[in-house]
Amino acid sequence: MKRRDILKKLSLLPFAGGLASLYPFQSAKASPAADSPANRDLFKELGIRTFINAAGTYTFMTGSLMHDYVTDTIKAASKEFCLLDEVQDKVGEKIAAMTHAEAAVVTAGAFSGLTLGLAGILTGTDVEKVKQLPHLEGTGMKSEVICQKGHDIDYNHAFLNTGCKIVPVETVEDVEKAINEKTALMHFLNIEADKGKIMHEEWVALGKKHGIPTSNDIAADVPPVSNLWKFNDMGFDFVVISGGKAMKGPQSAGLLMGKKKIIEAARVHMPPRGFNIGRGMKVNKEEVLGMYVALEHYLNYDHEKEWKIWEDNIAVIEKAAKSVNGVNTKLFVPPLGNITPTLEITWNKPEVKAKDIQEKLRSGSPSIEVISHSENSINITVWVMKQGEEKIVAKRLNEELTKILA
Ligand SMILES: *Cc1c(COP(=O)(O)O)cnc(C)c1O
């Protein structure tokens, strides 16, 4: 195998550290375990690279940075015991009111919300049924989820975890043909709404017409803040969203919002109970309360002001990139999800590859991560950056683009 091929293989492994992670003993200094955690820099101690995130809310880059009010909440919450069900009850009631849902629960992310919402639909609160998942055959439980082809992304694996299969459709006629006594759910994916022929309202109406519950994955789809209640108002039976993206709550949290009966049943699949498929998706009081304050704050702050800051900051980066000979920039806002000013940078030398620029930025000081969706372009957002980092990114981009295009 050529070295290049080995590197390619390595980059596909789950530990994206690649070669470095094969040599874990490189800096085997004595562990300063006696120091108080506040005085330790564990990233440094363990040799973990940190970076400026100019890419966005990517799980492989650990999502977004929690706000101080979230980490303060987590720390305070960790000092007391309470009943896990009670904290979910009380927080769920508040979250439901804030999002116009009948009920809500904090899950271990949007993906877990999809699994749990569907599981609840399959079983209701019948413990004997709950225990049988994911083995649905011969139980009489429903086992199919209908979804438009353009909406059938990897994350729909969340539904397979219940034992269900996905039935892809394209037209209204397809939907009506696909519906049968095994149909448990009709699922919609907001961020790819434009990749399907059937839009939100019609999807909900079709579900209602046939008595099939509908769901909507809006994991990455705030801002706008109104999306937090828009799809509950529209009549979807359950809606899921990530906590650790724009809301800057815990990365291991999200919301499942929806009909009371579904949320109640979903809870039977969740800890503290352990006879279910959801036991491994535990959120403790720290995440539950952290998610709650993240949402509360998100609903209350000045989104227009934040948008203006994003525009100003991305303009700084655009200007610095554009001033390099041979560089083109395009500023756009994705319409359905990850809705934030996004800068696409392209250049006039096809032999220069995005990954070369990414590597230069990555190995510089400070390290910077940008994202690329094609060989000859990189994309930048500023919404998870810390104040002032836009200037550093602008300067580093200008330096590296100037060098590589010279
Ligand atoms: C991020 C994302 C998910 C997964 O969300 P988690 O909160 O990480 O579980 C699911 N669906 C879509 C469309 C997403 O963007």
Side-chain angles (χ1 to χ4, degrees):
M1 221 189 308
K2 288 201 199 93
R3 182 182 150 77
R4 202 174 16 157
D5 295 330
I6 295 173
L7 285 172
K8 220 193 244 161
K9 272 241 160 74
L10 276 171
S11 69
L12 295 174
L13 293 173
F15 48 92
L19 283 174
S21 54
L22 294 177
Y23 302 102
F25 307 114
Q26 252 172 2
S27 56
K29 285 188 208 110
S31 159
D35 275 6
S36 93
N39 296 330
R40 288 174 72 177
D41 181 343
L42 288 167
F43 293 111
K44 228 177 176 171
E45 211 178 283
L46 299 172
I48 300 164
R49 178 175 61 95
T50 58
F51 50 82
I52 293 176
N53 182 350
T57 60
Y58 292 91
T59 296
F60 77 103
M61 297 185 193
T62 66
S64 56
L65 297 180
M66 288 182 278
H67 278 303
D68 288 346
Y69 51 81
V70 177
T71 50
D72 288 349
T73 301
I74 288 174
K75 195 170 172 193
S78 72
K79 308 286 185 203
E80 299 290 345
F81 289 102
C82 67
L83 294 178
L84 184 55
D85 272 331
E86 188 180 359
V87 69
Q88 284 282 28
D89 285 344
K90 298 273 162 66
V91 165
E93 219 169 276
K94 292 275 189 199
I95 292 177
M98 291 191 273
T99 60
H100 306 190
E102 279 181 24
V105 62
V106 176
T107 61
F111 187 101
S112 133
L114 294 176
T115 301
L116 295 166
L118 174 58
I121 287 171
L122 296 176
T123 62
T125 53
D126 182 334
V127 169
E128 287 316 307
K129 283 186 177 165
V130 169
K131 287 179 180 174
Q132 295 182 67
L133 266 54
H135 305 290
L136 299 173
E137 216 174 301
T139 63
M141 281 187 266
K142 297 179 192 295
S143 57
E144 294 181 2
V145 175
I146 295 175
C147 167
Q148 296 184 75
K149 271 192 186 138
H151 295 204
D152 195 14
I153 55 167
D154 281 351
Y155 290 124
N156 286 354
H157 198 98
F159 297 129
L160 307 186
N161 290 353
T162 66
C164 281
K165 65 170 194 169
I166 310 255
V167 180
V169 295
E170 283 180 281
T171 61
V172 171
E173 206 187 7
D174 289 348
V175 175
E176 304 208 306
K177 250 194 251 159
I179 290 174
N180 66 72
E181 72 287 349
K182 289 188 197 154
T183 308
L185 180 68
M186 287 172 51
H187 180 62
F188 195 90
L189 176 65
N190 182 62
I191 199 168
E192 309 267 271
D194 56 353
K195 299 232 167 70
K197 293 194 169 76
I198 309 168
M199 293 304 277
H200 310 77
E201 272 109 342
E202 194 177 7
W203 193 254
V204 171
L206 266 170
K208 289 204 194 312
K209 178 176 165 194
H210 294 278
I212 310 287
T214 50
S215 57
N216 191 2
D217 176 354
I218 62 161
D221 308 346
V222 290
V225 61
S226 56
N227 274 358
L228 278 164
W229 56 82
K230 178 176 172 183
F231 302 106
N232 294 320
D233 287 345
M234 203 179 271
F236 280 97
D237 292 273
F238 77 79
V239 176
V240 300
I241 188 164
S242 299
K245 291 178 180 169
M247 281 194 278
K248 299 190 176 176
Q251 170 65 10
S252 51
L255 301 178
L256 167 62
M257 311 167 274
K259 295 284 181 292
K260 212 176 196 116
K261 267 176 88 169
I262 296 176
I263 306 303
E264 243 171 46
R267 294 263 314 262
V268 186
H269 292 267
M270 294 180 70
R273 289 153 290 280
F275 46 75
N276 48 35
I277 58 168
R279 175 64 196 219
M281 310 170 194
K282 195 193 310 188
V283 281
N284 204 19
K285 64 198 171 210
E286 292 85 358
E287 288 93 26
V288 175
L289 293 168
M291 187 66 241
Y292 172 54
V293 295
L295 173 66
E296 197 180 49
H297 182 82
Y298 194 73
L299 288 169
N300 286 321
Y301 77 76
D302 188 342
H303 292 272
E304 267 175 48
K305 188 171 149 197
E306 180 174 61
W307 190 271
K308 181 76 179 49
I309 293 171
W310 290 346
E311 282 184 334
D312 290 350
N313 290 354
I314 203 120
V316 171
I317 296 171
E318 182 175 33
K319 189 168 163 229
K322 216 162 51 176
S323 72
V324 178
N325 252 335
V327 169
N328 284 310
T329 59
K330 188 180 90 181
L331 203 51
F332 66 101
V333 178
L336 293 163
N338 295 308
I339 300 169
T340 189
T342 303
L343 179 66
E344 184 187 73
I345 301 178
T346 51
W347 44 87
N348 63 359
K349 280 192 178 169
E351 67 273 23
V352 172
K353 302 294 184 222
K355 63 176 170 34
D356 302 328
I357 297 169
Q358 284 178 297
E359 193 43 48
K360 294 284 182 203
L361 294 170
R362 188 174 292 139
S363 56
S365 179
S367 182
I368 296 168
E369 286 289 343
V370 298
I371 206 80
S372 168
H373 301 300
S374 81
E375 268 201 331
N376 294 105
S377 70
I378 55 175
N379 279 14
I380 289 183
T381 65
V382 296
W383 60 340
V384 294
M385 278 187 199
K386 296 179 218 163
Q387 202 186 354
E389 287 182 342
E390 74 283 356
K391 294 195 189 73
I392 302 170
V393 173
K395 177 167 166 283
R396 289 288 301 129
L397 254 178
N398 182 282
E399 284 169 4
E400 292 304 339
L401 287 170
T402 304
K403 265 192 260 171
I404 208 161
L405 295 172

